[in-house]
Amino acid sequence: MPGNPTLGCMPGQSYAWLWQALYNINADIVLSKLVPADWDWNQCHPTHGTPLMAIINEGIRLSTNSCDSSPFWRLVRGCMANGADPRKEAGAVSGIVCGWGDANPTFPKLEHVKPSGHSALSLVFQIRTACQKHEKEYKVQITTANKLLAVFTEFLPPSEGQRVSVPESVVEAWETILQDEASHDVELIVVGTGSKSKRGAKDFQDIGGTLGAHAAVLRTHSPVLSAALSSPMREGQTGRYQVEGVSLEATKLLLQLMYTGSTSADLTPSLLLGTLELAHRWQIGSIIDMTERALAGMIGLESLGELCEAALLRDLRTLLAACKSFVATNSDAQALLEKPEFPTRAKSELKASLRPGKLSEPEAKRARRSL
């Protein structure tokens, strides 16, 4: 493999060990609990640039990283799972990367690349361009760079929806309105699923029930309910709307989120999935976003399969990305994928995510024929 340029002196700052681990592709340390929970994954180091930029030089240089099982790919995905953004540009940094090789023909000397002003994405492009000047000798490094660019496309930015702070008194006022039975003009008749669950130490069976609400609130949130409650059909005439396929508790949570954007309920993945299902059915985008974000923070070994299946079924990109990140950084989750009872579609998707992305080749043009 090509020779390694000299690493610039590390500054006398805290977490120098973490930057060394990043530079040297030590996934076990970087993705461990040694790293503070509030560590900024998009900060700029005076020598290396961003954390993702710090791993690029050795990540591309070492030929062993062309293998799908290399810890380098787990490190890349783990950094992005923690919020490292490949688009983040570094300011003025003093480091130099690339410049591999020497005078011998096996690995010709490459030009140096300065990370200053680059993002992780643009730095990979720049290193790949340097390698392409000696394409035959640096074929492995070019392949790794292409894979790395493909993996970067998996990054999912955090939700950019605008959020505002609301005084607690306003939330309490809306909660009071929701609970004011005398003012309700809509009755939601929840059939119930008959499923059993636990509340504390007690077993609970969902047998359904009725919930009151206000047509004005329901119509504002949901185009489906707006059409139903405004029509000459039974729902519009009686103000009674039947809800099937979800639990009473999931429907109640949906109403709480519609009125106040918050809840004091004990949340579980199954409860949130029920609310998410109903929000999809009624086309309430704001609550789909809320429940999806909440589910992304509840991924564990027991819920992984169910949540990944739901993400695939509903095209929930944030939840699916969280599932992939969980698997990329958790060896127990990777072992779980080998179990026969793990959901098939989720298994296929998650296993594929552990392999470096492949840039698709252009599809050959097919001959046309008349019918």
Side-chain angles (χ1 to χ4, degrees):
M1 67 186 68
N4 181 23
T6 303
L7 173 65
C9 295
M10 293 295 294
Q13 62 177 42
S14 60
Y15 307 122
W17 56 270
L18 181 49
W19 287 100
Q20 290 281 11
L22 283 162
Y23 186 87
N24 289 288
I25 318 297
N26 193 317
D28 290 337
I29 289 179
V30 175
L31 302 180
S32 73
K33 292 183 179 179
L34 291 172
V35 181
D38 60 350
W39 199 70
D40 182 2
W41 289 88
N42 290 302
Q43 62 185 282
C44 185
H45 186 278
T47 301
H48 304 301
T50 68
L52 275 180
M53 291 172 65
I55 70 178
I56 286 174
N57 187 75
E58 294 299 272
I60 295 177
R61 184 183 73 86
L62 297 173
S63 58
T64 53
N65 291 333
S66 63
C67 176
D68 290 357
S69 60
S70 167
F72 172 64
W73 304 109
R74 182 165 67 93
L75 177 59
V76 175
R77 287 191 171 96
C79 288
M80 292 196 300
N82 284 310
D85 188 339
R87 306 168 301 176
K88 179 71 175 179
E89 295 180 351
V93 296
S94 61
I96 296 176
V97 298
C98 202
W100 314 320
D102 48 38
N104 76 69
T106 304
F107 289 109
K109 182 70 174 176
L110 296 181
E111 62 187 36
H112 286 100
V113 175
K114 295 182 178 180
S116 187
H118 277 288
S119 65
L121 275 166
S122 63
L123 186 60
V124 174
F125 278 117
Q126 194 70 29
I127 293 175
R128 187 182 68 172
T129 298
C131 292
Q132 286 172 334
K133 294 180 179 179
H134 301 280
E135 189 170 357
K136 181 179 178 181
E137 294 83 358
Y138 288 95
K139 181 180 179 180
V140 172
Q141 284 70 33
I142 294 170
T143 299
T144 301
N146 286 335
K147 288 181 178 179
L148 184 52
L149 290 171
V151 170
F152 280 163
T153 65
E154 298 174 10
F155 177 72
L156 194 64
S159 175
E160 296 178 357
Q162 188 174 9
R163 305 179 76 178
V164 296
S165 177
V166 178
E168 187 174 0
S169 59
V170 175
V171 175
E172 290 175 348
W174 276 101
E175 187 171 13
T176 300
I177 293 171
L178 172 59
Q179 295 171 354
D180 182 16
E181 296 181 3
S183 65
H184 292 161
D185 54 3
V186 174
E187 188 176 41
L188 299 177
I189 306 169
V190 185
V191 176
T193 62
S195 61
K196 294 183 178 180
S197 61
K198 275 192 174 293
R199 285 187 186 172
K202 295 183 178 180
D203 291 326
F204 171 78
Q205 184 174 14
D206 178 47
I207 58 174
T210 60
L211 296 169
H214 301 85
V217 175
L218 301 183
R219 284 198 298 263
T220 300
H221 278 283
S222 167
V224 174
L225 294 179
S226 180
L229 296 173
S230 303
S231 73
M233 304 295 287
R234 182 183 61 187
E235 292 87 352
Q237 295 298 312
T238 65
R240 293 166 62 86
Y241 191 95
Q242 186 163 300
V243 182
E244 299 179 349
V246 297
S247 70
L248 182 67
E249 293 301 307
T251 310
K252 187 181 298 183
L253 174 58
L254 181 71
L255 289 176
Q256 290 173 345
L257 295 177
M258 290 171 74
Y259 278 75
T260 71
S262 62
T263 181
S264 58
D266 293 327
L267 300 180
T268 63
S270 60
L271 175 59
L272 284 166
L273 283 172
T275 301
L276 177 64
E277 160 65 26
L278 194 54
H280 260 284
R281 191 186 307 172
W282 289 349
Q283 299 177 21
I284 310 175
S286 60
I287 296 179
I288 292 172
D289 291 343
M290 280 189 271
T291 50
E292 183 182 4
R293 286 197 305 270
L295 285 167
M298 300 179 75
I299 297 172
L301 295 176
E302 292 184 358
S303 62
L304 176 63
E306 182 181 21
L307 294 185
C308 186
E309 288 282 303
L312 291 168
L313 177 64
R314 297 294 182 189
D315 192 26
L316 304 172
R317 296 182 60 207
T318 298
L319 181 56
L320 182 59
C323 290
K324 291 179 178 180
S325 297
F326 179 78
V327 170
T329 57
N330 190 302
S331 58
D332 290 335
Q334 293 167 26
L336 192 63
L337 301 184
E338 304 303 323
K339 295 185 178 295
E341 64 270 21
F342 196 85
T344 304
R345 189 180 177 193
K347 178 185 297 187
S348 176
E349 183 74 19
L350 294 174
K351 278 190 169 184
S353 75
L354 293 173
R355 298 190 293 270
K358 296 181 179 179
L359 298 178
S360 57
E361 299 292 334
E363 186 177 351
K365 190 173 182 179
R366 302 177 65 180
R368 296 179 180 272
R369 65 178 186 273
S370 60
L371 298 179

